[in-house]
């Protein structure tokens, strides 16, 4: 595939989302180039990110719901066993970090862990397979294959990670105000860590700290996955007989990264929400 | 790095998955896990109890066996004693019976002998009378000499 275009075109093609939005010249439609996608601005949507993330999320709830429907406290089947291992792992983490009564936290942590893990796992599918397939399908539907974009790893799209991080941020604000009251929450922002005489400084420090939470959540996951994907793309530029020398070790290493990133996102969410519940 | 509406799409999808998970996935599965933990605890408890029961039953069985052995020994001893007693009694009875039989036989023998003696005596008296008649060649008045003859016969 790389032979058909220059390396930079190949890379940029792989890093462009399948975007649907308002064309700058007017009219709804899919973006045909990376530049066009950028010009669409905020009022556009990444169809591939939505497709893969929602698809994987549905896969997650389908699989777990299937187990939940015929769950037994007797001898579990192999799927139930697998699901139970994950749930117990999440539950252990939640109960060791989060000591308040809240029915939302554990399912939230489970959803984050499994969903992010599934989205990250798409990284292990060879980088050209699905985009190539998408191009063939697009061609069959009469589209120019060079204008068919398909990014299969939703977590390499900043929108996906930022979306989740903003949702978590919303929960942080909600529980902070719910547990401490609006006054308590604002007081925490204004009078810590240095007391009321340093109020502007405190406010600045605490607000930066507060905003850093969702931003770091989003950027850590995005950065790791984007960099990993980038390496795979660069490896794919090598001659085909040499690729496995690098892609196999990198993929094996990446198994660790995708699990670790899913785990970190989950744990940090639990930690942030535990902090939101904490009353000083 | 285009930031766009996808963020909201993600937030909506994320919220949907979390709510679905919270309502339909997490409660049944963790419920089953809790129930299994309870079952296992009960099972272990039951096993402990069964173990204790088994120990008690074994102890009781051993005690019963000892008791049974002792009883059996007592019964055997008693039976032996009784058997000896029966044998002794039987011996005693037999001895008595034998003595009685001997006495009876003796009495019969005596009786028989006496009777024979009587018969013999009568015959001898008759013979004597006959002899004397022959010697005297006269009839002896049997009635007159009866006393004499009887005296004679008594001396035999």
């Amino acid at each position: 595939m790389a032979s058909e275009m220059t390396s930079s075109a190949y890379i940029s093609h792989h890093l462009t989302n399948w975007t649907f939005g308002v064309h700058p010249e007017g009219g709804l439609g899919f973006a045909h180039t990376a530049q066009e996608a950028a010009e669409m601005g905020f009022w556009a949507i990444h169809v591939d990110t939505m497709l893969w993330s929602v698809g994987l999320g549905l896969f997650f709830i389908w699989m777990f719901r299937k187990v939940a429907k015929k769950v037994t406290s007797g001898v579990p089947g192999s799927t139930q066993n697998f699901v139970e291992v994950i749930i117990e792992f999440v539950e252990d983490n939640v109960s060791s970090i989060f000591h308040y009564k809240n029915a939302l936290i554990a399912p939230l942590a489970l959803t984050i862990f499994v969903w992010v893990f599934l989205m990250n796992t798409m990284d292990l599918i060879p980088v050209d397979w699905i985009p190539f397939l998408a191009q063939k399908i697009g061609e069959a539907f009469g589209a120019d294959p060079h204008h068919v974009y398909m990014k299969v790893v939703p977590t390499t799209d900043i929108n996906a990670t930022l979306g989740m991080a903003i949702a978590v941020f919303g929960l942080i604000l909600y529980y902070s105000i719910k547990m401490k009251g609006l006054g308590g929450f604002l007081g925490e922002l204004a009078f810590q860590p240095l007391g009321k005489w340093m109020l502007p400084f405190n406010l600045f420090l605490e607000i930066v700290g507060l905003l850093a939470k969702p931003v770091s959540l989003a950027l850590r996951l995005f950065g790791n996955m984007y960099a990993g994907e980038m390496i795979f793309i660069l490896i794919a530029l090598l001659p085909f007989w040499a690729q496995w020398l690098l892609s196999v070790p990198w993929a094996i290493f990446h198994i660790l990264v995708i699990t670790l990133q899913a785990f970190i996102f989950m744990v940090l969410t639990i930690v942030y929400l535990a902090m939101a519940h904490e009353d000083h | 790095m285009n930031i766009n509406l996808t963020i909201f799409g993600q937030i909506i999808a994320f919220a949907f998955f979390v709510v679905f998970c919270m309502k339909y996935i997490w409660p049944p599965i963790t419920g089953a896990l809790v129930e299994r933990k309870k079952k296992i605890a009960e099972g272990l408890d039951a096993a402990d109890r069964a173990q204790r029961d088994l120990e008690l039953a074994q102890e009781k069985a051993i005690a019963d066996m000892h008791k049974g052995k002792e009883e059996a020994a007592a019964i055997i001893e008693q039976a032996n004693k009784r058997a000896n007693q029966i044998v002794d009694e039987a011996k005693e009875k037999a001895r008595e019976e034998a003595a009685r039989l001997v006495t009876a036989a003796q009495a019969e023998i005596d009786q028989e002998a006496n009777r024979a003696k009587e018969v013999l005596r009568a015959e001898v008296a008759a013979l004597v009378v006959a002899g004397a008649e022959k010697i005297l060649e006269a009839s002896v008045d049997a009635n007159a000499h009866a006393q004499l003859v009887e005296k004679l016969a008594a001396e035999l």
Side-chain angles (χ1 to χ4, degrees), chain A residues 111-189:
Chain A
T111 309
I112 288 174
F113 180 65
V114 180
W115 196 29
V116 171
F117 177 77
L118 287 174
M119 290 194 287
N120 290 353
T121 309
M122 300 306 291
D123 213 3
L124 294 176
I125 297 174
V127 282
D128 278 327
W129 282 12
I130 294 172
F132 181 71
L133 195 68
Q135 281 185 343
K136 290 295 169 205
I137 293 170
E139 210 174 357
F141 278 93
D144 181 351
H146 292 288
H147 294 162
V148 174
Y149 299 100
M150 180 57 73
K151 254 177 99 179
V152 291
V153 191
T155 41
T156 57
D157 180 357
I158 184 83
N159 293 290
T161 61
L162 201 57
M164 294 177 81
I166 287 173
V168 171
F169 183 60
L171 287 174
I172 292 173
L173 292 182
Y174 172 74
Y175 282 114
S176 291
I177 292 168
K178 190 184 170 198
M179 302 305 288
K180 304 162 193 168
L182 187 59
F185 177 53
L186 292 179
E188 212 169 66
L189 289 182

Side-chain angles (χ1 to χ4, degrees), chain A residues 199-211:
Chain A
L199 192 140
F201 177 74
N202 291 341
L203 213 55
F204 173 72
L205 204 66
E206 287 291 316
I207 287 174
V208 167
L210 191 67
L211 291 177

